[in-house]
Amino acid sequence: MISQYQESLLLPARTFQTGPMTTTYEDVLEQMDSGIMLFDEEGVLTFVNKQMYAILGLSRHSLLGCTMIHLLSNIQMNRFKKKQVLRGYREMMKKGKPSYEFVDEYGRYWKVTLCSGEQMKGCYLFTFKEISDYKLIEQTAYQNDSLVMLGKLSASIAHEIRNPLTAIRGFIQLLHPHLHQLGKEEYAKIILAEIDRANDIIHEFLMSSKPSVPQVAMISVSGLLKEVVLLTESEALMKGCEIQLQPFQEDMIISGDIKQMKQVVLNMIRNAMEAITEKVDDAMGRIELGARREGAEVRIFISDNGKGMDICTLDRLFNPFFTTKENGTGLGLSVSDRIIKNHGGCISVSSRLNEGTRFVISLPLIQ
């Protein structure tokens, strides 16, 4: 039966005559927030509700009576939608999957389900439903679970590593006079310095996984960005990048922890540098930094002309432990996101492959 239907879907369009569906049922389906497509046993589209033809960007007249091949050849439907319709057809009709999920060109999540069998009397009902809100809840729950696990893991690591390091440090200090007599005092200094460095790394990891409560003070946005540029411009030049600080129309003041805010902007600039160094072309890297007022908020933007990101990477960008870097920890952006949220703001990001990425930090201004 399935194979017969698959063949019939690919038949040319024919003149459509209205079936036995009653006006009452049609009115109910028209009011649904999901898109509905009903194909009969011959593969002809017999019903489509207004939500569905809005999703496809086609008129009801151009849809009714058509087959799948006629739908895919419709010049009014863009290539992206055709590709998703064809992929969904393959997944559900060819592979027998009951549903199929995809992300549209606007970043919205959709789920397509297929209802068929005896209860449909040979017909095939396709339902298109937007699930963006469900995906957001799912991702938020995943992030919260990951951050709880990260906090516990960090505390455990700090405890387990610091204890032996403290013991080693104590014994090296006891051996220091003997090493001095042997003329090997430098060995003791090197060992102590490396132990202190290891302790600093552990402390940074612990603080990054569990940011402290902000030490609130008034922060000049222009002063913050100018200081960050001073800290990073020499490193940027070494990596073939140029940092351009856009002029400020006015000085804007925010309330927050200066160290944490600096950590967020520095992290994004360093990410931009790495994205630029991974470009395939030899064009000069450019990082633009600036801020502007929008109502009661300031928008701080960091944009680059690096390698960019695809949709799948963007979806997971702020997840703890997710990284595309060979030696990355996957903590930088998840921690930055938490810091900004603790300051009453949010981070948004847009990106295109081989074109670049733009981060925007939105924070409330002090009036």
Side-chain angles (χ1 to χ4, degrees):
M1 183 66 186
I2 292 288
S3 60
Q4 291 175 352
Y5 178 72
Q6 290 168 357
E7 293 173 0
S8 66
L9 279 180
L10 301 177
L11 292 173
R14 65 170 172 79
T15 305
F16 168 71
Q17 297 297 327
T18 306
M21 181 174 287
T22 65
T23 304
T24 302
Y25 290 148
E26 288 184 6
D27 290 342
V28 170
L29 293 174
E30 287 288 359
Q31 301 308 315
M32 292 181 66
D33 60 356
S34 301
I36 302 292
M37 297 177 74
L38 180 65
F39 289 89
D40 67 15
E41 65 276 8
E42 295 181 1
V44 177
L45 184 59
T46 59
F47 177 80
V48 56
N49 70 349
K50 61 183 179 182
Q51 181 71 6
M52 189 67 240
Y53 59 78
I55 293 169
L56 295 175
L58 301 173
S59 66
R60 188 195 299 266
H61 176 74
S62 64
L63 285 172
L64 288 177
C66 74
T67 61
M68 186 63 72
I69 195 168
H70 188 242
L71 180 64
L72 293 173
S73 62
N74 193 311
I75 60 173
Q76 293 179 335
M77 188 161 68
N78 66 43
R79 177 183 286 184
F80 184 88
K81 289 189 173 81
K82 288 179 180 179
K83 186 185 294 185
Q84 294 304 329
V85 170
L86 183 58
R87 192 172 293 170
Y89 167 78
R90 287 172 178 166
E91 291 292 317
M92 293 187 288
M93 299 303 299
K94 294 286 188 182
K95 298 181 181 180
K97 294 182 180 180
S99 63
Y100 167 68
E101 292 183 10
F102 68 93
V103 182
D104 69 13
E105 62 266 47
Y106 305 107
R108 298 174 299 183
Y109 288 85
W110 294 87
K111 183 175 183 178
V112 187
T113 55
L114 169 62
C115 183
S116 60
E118 293 182 2
Q119 70 272 24
M120 293 301 301
K121 297 179 181 179
C123 297
Y124 288 78
L125 179 69
F126 292 89
T127 306
F128 288 67
K129 184 174 181 61
E130 185 180 354
I131 56 170
S132 300
D133 291 340
Y134 299 108
K135 285 291 182 182
L136 179 61
I137 293 169
E138 185 181 273
Q139 290 171 3
T140 303
Y142 171 78
Q143 285 184 348
N144 291 339
D145 289 344
S146 298
L147 291 171
V148 169
M149 180 181 69
L150 176 59
K152 292 178 180 178
L153 178 64
S154 303
S156 176
I157 289 173
H159 178 73
E160 294 298 329
I161 297 179
R162 275 177 171 168
N163 283 347
L165 285 178
T166 302
I168 293 169
R169 199 180 201 288
F171 281 112
I172 292 297
Q173 287 174 324
L174 288 174
L175 291 171
H176 192 274
H178 302 289
L179 293 171
H180 179 71
Q181 291 176 1
L182 295 171
K184 304 294 183 181
E185 186 179 7
E186 283 300 312
Y187 290 177
K189 289 181 179 179
I190 292 171
I191 294 171
L192 289 172
E194 289 302 301
I195 290 172
D196 290 340
R197 190 166 73 90
N199 270 319
D200 288 341
I201 292 171
I202 293 167
H203 176 73
E204 287 178 14
F205 179 77
L206 189 60
M207 292 304 294
S208 67
S209 62
K210 189 179 180 181
S212 57
V213 177
Q215 302 298 311
V216 179
M218 289 201 304
I219 304 170
S220 165
V221 175
S222 61
L224 169 69
L225 299 186
K226 287 175 183 176
E227 185 176 352
V228 170
V229 170
L230 284 173
L231 290 170
T232 55
E233 60 183 352
S234 57
E235 181 184 353
L237 289 172
M238 290 175 63
K239 293 184 176 181
C241 308
E242 178 187 7
I243 299 180
Q244 300 175 353
L245 181 60
Q246 300 298 316
F248 300 95
Q249 295 179 349
E250 57 179 310
D251 192 18
M252 293 162 283
I253 305 297
I254 59 174
S255 175
D257 188 312
I258 184 66
K259 290 182 179 179
Q260 291 187 5
M261 295 306 302
K262 198 184 299 180
Q263 176 187 346
V264 170
V265 181
L266 280 170
N267 182 49
M268 291 185 178
I269 290 178
R270 292 200 169 110
N271 282 347
M273 291 182 198
E274 291 179 8
I276 288 170
T277 57
E278 293 173 3
K279 282 200 310 180
V280 292
D281 58 56
D282 296 326
M284 180 68 179
R286 186 182 69 257
I287 300 172
E288 292 186 1
L289 188 65
R292 65 177 184 274
R293 176 192 288 270
E294 286 197 11
E297 292 185 330
V298 60
R299 303 278 196 269
I300 300 171
F301 62 87
I302 304 102
S303 60
D304 65 70
N305 63 341
K307 66 173 185 175
M309 293 176 282
D310 57 26
I311 292 176
C312 293
T313 302
L314 284 172
D315 287 342
R316 303 176 62 191
L317 198 59
F318 295 102
N319 290 356
F321 306 117
F322 174 74
T323 180
T324 58
K325 305 171 191 172
E326 186 176 347
N327 299 314
T329 62
L331 294 174
L333 284 175
S334 66
V335 172
S336 297
D337 188 46
R338 290 178 63 196
I339 288 172
I340 296 302
K341 285 178 178 175
N342 287 343
H343 284 76
C346 64
I347 302 175
S348 60
V349 56
S350 57
S351 185
R352 285 183 178 271
L353 278 175
N354 304 318
E355 292 186 20
T357 302
R358 181 182 178 89
F359 283 91
V360 179
I361 304 169
S362 301
L363 289 163
L365 285 166
I366 294 179
Q367 299 298 322

